[in-house]
Amino acid sequence: MTKDSGSTYDVHIIGGGLAGSEAAWQLGRRGFRVRLSEMRGTGERSPAHQGDGLAELVCSNSFRSDDSEKNAVGLLHHEMRLCDSLIMSAAATAEVPAGSALAVDRDVFSAEVEARLSALPNVDIFRERVDALPDAGMTIVATGPLTAEALAGSIGQATGADSLAFFDAIAPIVYHESIDMDVCWMASRWDKGETKDYINCPMNEEQYLAFHKGLVEGEKTSFKEWEANTPYFDGCMPIEVMAERGVDTLRFGPMKPVGLDNPHWATPEHPNGRWPHAVVQLRQDNKLGTIWNMVGFQTKLKHAEQVKLFRTIPGLENAEFARLGGLHRNTFLNSPILLDRTLRLKSAPHVRFAGQITGCEGYVESAAVGLMAGLMASAELAGREWQAPPRTTALGALLSHITGDAEAETYQPMNINFGLFPPLHDVKKKQRKEAYTGRAKDEIAPWLEGLTPA
Ligand SMILES: Cc1cc2nc3c(=O)[nH]c(=O)nc-3n(C[C@H](O)[C@H](O)[C@H](O)COP(=O)(O)OP(=O)(O)OC[C@H]3O[C@@H](n4cnc5c(N)ncnc54)[C@H](O)[C@@H]3O)c2cc1C
């Protein structure tokens, strides 16, 4: 329990990063009393943070594309601005030239967030570390991917250790529409025709050997010092580490071809087709069926290497990636099963989660989930029914992914991307991005009118 976490405040927000600061702003400007607890400033910091300012950007100084016509993250910027986002307005104050991207002077940005929050009379900022989930009182936990150990333990206890991951082991995710189904085929291993759950990409021996060489020789990113001793979990072994163990290791692991007749290779002697030398399988990653993950392909290859190498896989020559693979330390919940549609822990509804700990990925996405958590808490405190943003908007698509649309079994942190939006198959591919953003802009307006007034 925190000191004095009782009745003087309407909400206790734990973590003054991007999500916590945004949530505090949304609540504070609506007149609710907020206690914001941030452990930096007590002499303690996560291994990635360098300073004590609120909303510190731990790595890049970019909020990525600001193009709201053709880019999903740019659309998210736009929608957050419509919600009077603190993070977006502080970014405007701190902006530095970066072409079509939105980049900031990180010190000016952090100082602006802190100044504007401190100026709200009903938001109190405490420099304190919280070591356990409060037993009662409305709480928003926004402690990020590097949540301090004791609190992570308390969250683990409340959610079940299996539901709290400490590593992203991300396999690349591919847009379905960019996969060549004249080369690939749908089947499950030893398919008898009843379940055809996987997309299979066939490789002959020559293709496999070249691919194996590419994995072993490709340039990898290195672990940060504080990540280096964290062991791989079962099932999280990077694909290139497996490849280094022997030329055939992958053919007995994630690229196993047995039981997979390729109908495109059918001959009169083999009417059902033949088993390839190796197979890359993709599994559906969201309920919409728009994005598919490459099974077992978590990797630390550099992003440019991944694109180059994975486009040598038959059927993926023109693959477009919703996200590339990666492996780094990250505390996050299996939100699709643990949280309700308003980001509250089903087993302890006084606790709501926000930011990257919910399984979104990125500065903007974390702030956006903080913004929605603040709006949800405001609605609850005002006794109003919370209306979720339409799922055709970037806010709605992100929220739907976190709270139900993503597959819980393979849940991994995700950036906003058009694959999370309800598809517009009828629109020509060239015009689709504008169609997604145009639809979102039309549909967000009525939702904004229903928000708890400031
Ligand atoms: C090393 C690293 C690099 C990253 N680089 C990028 C990047 O370049 N671009 C990008 O878009 N995203 C990046 N991310 C991903 C992500 O966007 C950021 O981590 C983002 O800051 C997450 O926002 P958040 O508000 O959820 O968490 P944070 O911004 O980390 O905020 C959490 C806050 O909670 C505090 N806290 C933690 N535990 C406690 C406790 N027990 N009590 C009180 N306070 C506590 C922390 O001190 C921190 O201030 C990176 C992540 C990591 C780990």
Side-chain angles (χ1 to χ4, degrees):
M1 289 285 290
T2 56
K3 60 180 169 164
D4 186 27
S5 60
S7 58
T8 33
Y9 296 99
D10 295 309
V11 187
H12 182 187
I13 299 179
I14 309 174
L18 291 155
S21 299
E22 182 69 59
W25 172 254
Q26 295 295 336
L27 280 153
R29 62 186 280 280
R30 288 179 167 78
F32 298 109
R33 292 159 305 165
V34 176
R35 177 189 191 99
L36 177 60
S37 301
E38 168 50 55
M39 77 173 176
R40 286 176 297 118
T42 61
E44 203 153 344
R45 285 182 194 145
S46 84
H49 286 89
Q50 308 281 316
D52 293 334
L54 296 184
E56 178 179 329
L57 303 180
V58 288
C59 187
S60 144
N61 66 334
S62 170
F63 290 108
R64 318 200 311 275
S65 173
D66 201 31
D67 173 1
S68 73
E69 303 287 312
K70 290 194 175 168
N71 192 288
V73 79
L75 178 65
L76 192 53
H77 292 176
H78 169 79
E79 294 177 5
M80 290 170 73
R81 288 182 184 119
L82 293 176
C83 298
D84 186 26
S85 158
L86 169 64
I87 294 303
M88 283 297 119
S89 62
T93 306
E95 188 168 0
V96 297
S100 60
L102 173 60
V104 298
D105 175 316
R106 67 184 72 234
D107 296 329
V108 175
F109 170 74
S110 167
E112 178 70 8
V113 170
E114 188 143 352
R116 295 194 58 189
L117 270 185
S118 306
L120 286 177
N122 45 338
V123 174
D124 289 336
I125 302 166
F126 289 82
R127 299 299 180 154
E128 61 188 359
R129 195 188 69 208
V130 177
D131 286 341
L133 287 176
D135 295 331
M138 191 183 286
T139 305
I140 297 178
V141 181
T143 44
L146 302 169
T147 295
E149 206 175 324
L151 184 62
S154 171
I155 298 169
Q157 261 181 356
T159 56
D162 289 352
S163 300
L164 189 68
F166 292 96
F167 241 116
D168 284 357
I170 300 169
I173 293 177
V174 181
Y175 289 110
H176 184 269
E177 63 187 17
S178 69
I179 301 171
D180 185 351
M181 294 305 292
D182 289 336
V183 174
C184 306
W185 82 104
M186 298 287 305
S188 296
R189 207 176 295 284
W190 304 114
D191 197 356
K192 303 276 188 297
E194 62 277 18
T195 56
K196 296 183 183 293
D197 291 344
Y198 291 83
I199 292 177
N200 298 280
C201 310
M203 278 188 188
N204 63 29
E205 185 171 4
E206 193 187 337
Q207 289 163 333
Y208 174 77
L209 291 174
F211 183 72
H212 178 268
K213 189 164 184 275
L215 279 176
V216 173
E217 292 177 0
E219 213 184 328
K220 327 282 183 313
T221 51
S222 47
F223 276 121
K224 302 224 168 30
E225 199 186 316
W226 42 273
E227 292 176 315
N229 294 327
T230 314
Y232 297 127
F233 289 122
D234 283 354
C236 288
M237 179 79 70
I239 186 106
E240 61 275 7
V241 174
M242 259 186 272
E244 279 162 13
R245 294 188 168 177
V247 73
D248 278 329
T249 307
L250 293 172
R251 293 184 60 245
F252 290 97
M255 296 181 71
K256 193 162 56 179
V258 296
L260 287 166
D261 290 323
N262 179 1
H264 299 307
W265 293 359
T267 58
E269 306 87 77
H270 300 281
N272 295 332
R274 306 289 304 270
W275 296 355
H277 188 71
V279 169
V280 176
Q281 290 198 302
L282 293 99
R283 183 171 46 217
Q284 190 169 333
D285 202 75
N286 65 349
K287 291 201 167 68
L288 299 171
T290 49
I291 51 177
W292 289 64
N293 74 68
M294 296 173 67
V295 180
F297 268 60
Q298 52 278 356
T299 175
K300 283 189 72 68
L301 281 174
K302 291 208 158 155
H303 281 182
E305 291 274 345
Q306 290 185 39
V307 174
K308 199 170 73 181
L309 186 62
F310 297 153
R311 283 189 182 154
T312 67
I313 297 170
L316 300 188
E317 292 86 351
N318 298 309
E320 294 294 335
F321 296 91
R323 74 162 302 159
L324 287 159
L327 202 78
H328 49 79
R329 208 186 114 190
N330 187 357
T331 310
F332 65 97
L333 298 166
N334 194 335
S335 297
I337 50 172
L338 291 171
L339 304 186
D340 69 13
R341 290 272 174 182
T342 67
L343 298 169
R344 295 180 311 182
L345 198 56
K346 287 178 189 163
S347 60
H350 65 288
V351 179
R352 181 171 265 120
F353 284 86
Q356 183 136 337
I357 198 166
T358 63
C360 62
E361 169 90 29
Y363 298 150
V364 185
E365 290 82 347
S366 299
V369 177
L371 184 151
M372 288 189 276
L375 293 176
M376 289 163 180
S378 300
E380 201 175 320
L381 287 163
R384 296 165 69 108
E385 198 185 335
W386 159 256
Q387 298 293 335
R391 43 177 318 180
T392 48
T393 64
L395 286 168
L398 188 61
L399 185 64
S400 299
H401 182 76
I402 293 169
T403 59
D405 280 359
E407 292 299 334
E409 210 181 298
T410 55
Y411 191 60
Q412 287 291 338
M414 180 66 102
N415 286 123
I416 187 72
N417 66 77
F418 287 127
L420 305 184
F421 290 61
L424 285 167
H425 293 307
D426 296 343
V427 179
K428 286 212 179 86
K429 207 172 163 195
K430 268 192 159 172
Q431 283 127 29
R432 220 172 273 162
K433 289 178 180 167
E434 279 102 329
Y436 283 129
T437 60
R439 179 178 65 177
K441 287 174 184 174
D442 288 344
E443 295 193 9
I444 199 161
W447 174 75
L448 290 168
E449 282 166 24
L451 292 181
T452 314

